[in-house]
Amino acid sequence: MNLNLDDSFKVRVSIGSAIVLGLINGKIDAAPTTIYLLTYHDGKCTANCGFCPQARESQGKANMLSRVVWPAFPLKEVLNKIPQAVNSRKIHRICIQTLNYPNFFQEVKKIVKSILSRTKVPISVSCQPLNREMLKELSLLGVNRVSIALDAATKEIFEKVKGSAIQGPYRWEKHIEALLTAVEVFGRNNITTHLIVGLGETEKEMISRIQWCVDNGIYPAMFAFTPIRGTKLENMPQPSLDSYRRIQLAHFLITNKLSDYRKMVFNQKDEVVDFGASKAMLKEVIESGTPFLTSGCPSCNRPYYNEKPSGPIYNYPRPLTTKEIKEIANQILKSFRNEDE
Ligand code: SF4
């Protein structure tokens, strides 16, 4: 593969990543600790996910992913900036997100090779389902983790937001198969998936999916649904913060093997009312603040991917303040008190 890059080979960079790399000037109150890149494509993605501004039928802006702006740069300009950011320990990972278009895989490989020929840094590739040969190629190139986003907690919701019901190319079974194959190729716990809270699932369905992921060696990265103008789901609300906090707590307990979905208790609305852990353990875990940080590949903090910096914050991209932890503890306790009444 010819790695000579001319200016026409572009890549999109999340605005926060571009500031950290020094590609543009700007102020950010929480710097990304992972550099987020998106393959550049002159046109829309061939997929049609209802929440995504890049979707085939979306009227959303081409330079957006979730609520974040991703300006385009010649790849070689970006490559010149990466080694210094890695050596200064400003960043600890690079995440390459892909759109779905004919030549995407060739371009992903070129980006991976170009980066690793300049510096040693863990790379995540966040992509559509790939077959075993393609997964092996990425592993041989030195890719550290692959993420194949399920996004939905159930097959029904999947088909509605990114599958057959929305004329999207994806099928639940194919996604599941690709995830399990990726675990075989990369090994347990080296594979990530994305789960979006607030697409119509119950807490029970989401927590059960989180458990399924962990049982199968897949790390579930949690996202809060974010309505984006011009997308099919632009009028849907964000999930309630109470519910999101309970799901974050369940996620932390399950991914850290401190509890298990099968030990948890749900009320008639399928909300979690018992986490299958002692009150002392819950108090300690909540007061650490850690469950409410962004979850994802190591060093993935995705600042303000699902919220404005002014809040309310779903995924904290930096350690929480004591005041924030107190507020969350009260929120969770209040939701339990409401449950007891
Ligand atoms: S969890 Fe973060 S680093 Fe990993 S694939 Fe997703 S966005 Fe990228």
Side-chain angles (χ1 to χ4, degrees):
M1 178 182 288
N2 170 9
L3 285 185
N4 293 333
L5 299 165
D6 60 35
D7 279 1
S8 67
F9 193 112
K10 293 183 190 159
V11 69
R12 289 190 181 281
V13 184
S14 77
I15 196 91
S17 304
I19 293 170
V20 167
L21 288 176
L23 290 163
I24 54 173
N25 294 324
K27 275 204 169 17
I28 29 177
D29 79 348
T33 48
T34 287
I35 292 296
Y36 301 95
L37 306 179
L38 172 67
T39 54
Y40 182 85
H41 178 55
D42 208 357
K44 292 280 184 183
C45 180
T46 55
N48 206 29
C49 306
F51 48 82
C52 182
Q54 298 288 335
R56 190 181 67 239
E57 293 169 8
S58 145
Q59 306 303 313
K61 291 188 184 146
N63 66 347
M64 298 271 297
L65 197 61
S66 188
R67 57 177 298 285
V68 177
V69 175
W70 299 62
F73 298 90
L75 177 60
K76 67 180 182 188
E77 230 182 275
V78 178
L79 292 171
N80 292 340
K81 299 284 188 183
I82 289 176
Q84 202 232 339
V86 173
N87 298 339
S88 64
R89 303 197 60 70
K90 271 192 204 158
I91 61 150
H92 305 280
R93 176 170 295 276
I94 296 184
C95 173
I96 304 168
Q97 312 214 9
T98 69
L99 296 184
N100 208 338
Y101 55 97
N103 200 32
F104 85 94
F105 193 60
Q106 296 312 315
E107 295 189 2
V108 168
K109 292 193 287 182
K110 195 164 187 174
I111 298 169
V112 170
K113 270 188 173 174
S114 309
I115 293 169
L116 294 179
S117 68
R118 285 168 174 76
T119 187
K120 207 170 164 357
V121 61
I123 294 180
S124 295
V125 171
S126 176
C127 55
Q128 49 274 63
L130 303 177
N131 62 35
R132 188 179 294 274
E133 284 58 48
M134 295 161 98
L135 290 161
K136 278 189 182 157
E137 274 193 74
L138 291 183
S139 171
L140 290 171
L141 279 178
V143 167
N144 173 257
R145 297 178 74 93
V146 163
S147 175
I148 297 167
L150 271 179
D151 293 319
T154 69
K155 175 176 173 165
E156 293 67 39
I157 294 172
F158 180 100
E159 298 302 343
K160 252 193 257 159
V161 300
K162 58 190 293 175
S164 52
I166 202 168
Q167 293 74 52
Y170 300 133
R171 295 296 172 269
W172 176 257
E173 290 77 11
K174 283 263 172 255
H175 261 66
I176 298 289
E177 184 194 329
L179 276 166
L180 298 176
T181 305
V183 171
E184 285 170 22
V185 173
F186 280 79
R188 285 181 68 86
N189 308 320
N190 292 322
I191 297 300
T192 301
T193 191
H194 295 172
L195 292 174
I196 302 175
V197 175
L199 293 174
E201 76 294 330
T202 65
E203 288 177 25
K204 191 173 183 180
E205 287 168 332
M206 183 52 80
I207 297 171
S208 153
R209 184 57 54 199
I210 291 168
Q211 187 68 57
W212 176 88
C213 289
V214 169
D215 292 348
N216 288 282
I218 299 158
Y219 185 84
M222 305 311 295
F223 292 70
F225 169 72
T226 308
I228 306 295
R229 192 172 300 159
T231 64
K232 287 238 162 88
L233 303 181
E234 66 182 349
N235 297 318
M236 235 168 74
Q238 285 209 283
S240 85
L241 212 49
D242 287 6
S243 179
Y244 197 74
R245 295 289 178 238
R246 289 192 294 269
I247 289 171
Q248 283 179 309
L249 195 47
H251 173 275
F252 182 84
L253 294 167
I254 291 171
T255 53
N256 289 281
K257 307 261 189 272
L258 299 171
S259 185
D260 186 298
Y261 164 76
R262 291 155 281 240
K263 289 186 192 158
M264 297 184 181
V265 180
F266 300 85
N267 64 16
Q268 283 155 342
K269 290 182 274 177
D270 283 345
E271 295 165 337
V272 57
V273 291
D274 184 332
F275 289 92
S278 69
K279 277 209 160 58
M281 155 87 77
L282 285 180
K283 187 169 178 296
E284 188 190 328
V285 162
I286 291 169
E287 288 177 356
S288 75
T290 314
F292 314 110
L293 294 173
T294 303
S295 57
C297 301
S299 305
C300 173
N301 67 337
R302 294 190 306 275
Y304 312 120
Y305 208 77
N306 294 139
E307 61 273 292
K308 294 192 190 90
S310 55
I313 296 181
Y314 287 86
N315 296 320
Y316 285 86
R318 42 122 185 109
L320 285 76
T321 63
T322 313
K323 181 168 171 286
E324 288 163 338
I325 291 173
K326 257 210 186 91
E327 275 165 18
I328 291 175
N330 292 340
Q331 218 170 19
I332 293 176
L333 284 175
K334 199 178 92 235
S335 74
F336 279 156
R337 245 180 258 120
N338 294 348
E339 184 57 35
D340 293 343
E341 277 154 18

